[in-house]
Amino acid sequence: MSKVLVTGAFGQVGSDLLKALIIKHGKDSVVATDIAEPPSIFKDLHSEKLDVRNPEMLKKILVKEDVRKIYHLASILSASGEKNPFFAFDVNIRGTYDLLRICSEIEGISVMIPSSIAVYGTDSPKDNVSTRAPTRPGTMYGISKVTGELLGMYFYKKFGLDVRGLRFPGLISYETQPTAGTTDYSVDMFIHAVKGLKYSCYLREDTMLPMMYMPDAIKSMINLSEADPSRLIRRIDYNVSAFSFTPSQLYSAIRRIIPDFTMDYSVDSRQEIADSWPASLDVSDAVLEWDFKPEYSMESMVADMIMNLRKD
Ligand code: AKB
């Protein structure tokens, strides 16, 4: 039986993606790989301990499991990447290069590599930013994401490897605790609000960033992976997002449901990263080439987040 493999499977995107893949393909067709141990909800799933800096191990798993599709999610995010840029280089750039090189030797395998708004830098425009806008990022994470896009296109053109990718905005999910990104303040704000705790936000109140709810992110990744290849021109760098907001707008939206929630600001070095990213994205390439259509508005996302976090 051919399988779908996820790297970085127990991270923020991976945890939601695994659930969707299990529903779609069945538990026995999904292989979860991560450097971390599986959380209890995935204890029954076939998982392999994998550090993506170990290409031999990756190759062994791909061959043993007859993997046909990979979602390559293993990545060090923006804030952790700035704390340890050499580690981020090894995991994000060397890890992606090795994965593509190994896959180019396997017939009929396809690879999905999510990219990020972190590809943009201070010389990109701010509003309604096109896929074609300059990408000169200032963070190691951004540099690694641009490199992943360029390598993906190179391996497609040179070796015919089916590589696809899309640039995620900040993603909001109730499944996993915020980890190491710059946009994670949003998830943290929800968690504090639902627990009845005051939140101290590390970004300025007027920092506008593009965002999307996780169910739409998962759906868009699966849809792109299944899209008719003859329609795909850009292949690897589609901007996707559903709405943009500032910390102060999110605070007001949460307070409409939890009026007692309070917040102050304690801005740190993540502000500089956020200031280099777009405030909003032009998603027209994704709409044109594979019918991208997010379902959640900011309002419906806020209501759904609070409802689900309260269940926990
Ligand atoms: C981060 O903040 O690092 C990520 C991203 C926008 O790619 N969420």
Side-chain angles (χ1 to χ4, degrees), residues 12 77-79 115-118 141 168-171 180-184 277:
Q12 193 201 22
L77 293 181
S78 56
S115 184
S116 159
I117 50 167
Y141 176 61
F168 278 141
L171 296 180
T182 301
T183 58
D184 289 340
W277 291 352

Side-chain angles (χ1 to χ4, degrees), residues 19 40 59 106 111 123 156 164 175 221 223 231 244 252-253 278 300 304:
K19 288 185 183 158
S40 53
K59 193 172 180 176
I106 302 174
V111 187
D123 61 356
Y156 168 64
R164 305 179 187 193
E175 290 290 355
M221 220 172 10
N223 286 354
R231 285 179 67 195
S244 292
S252 304
S300 55
D304 202 67

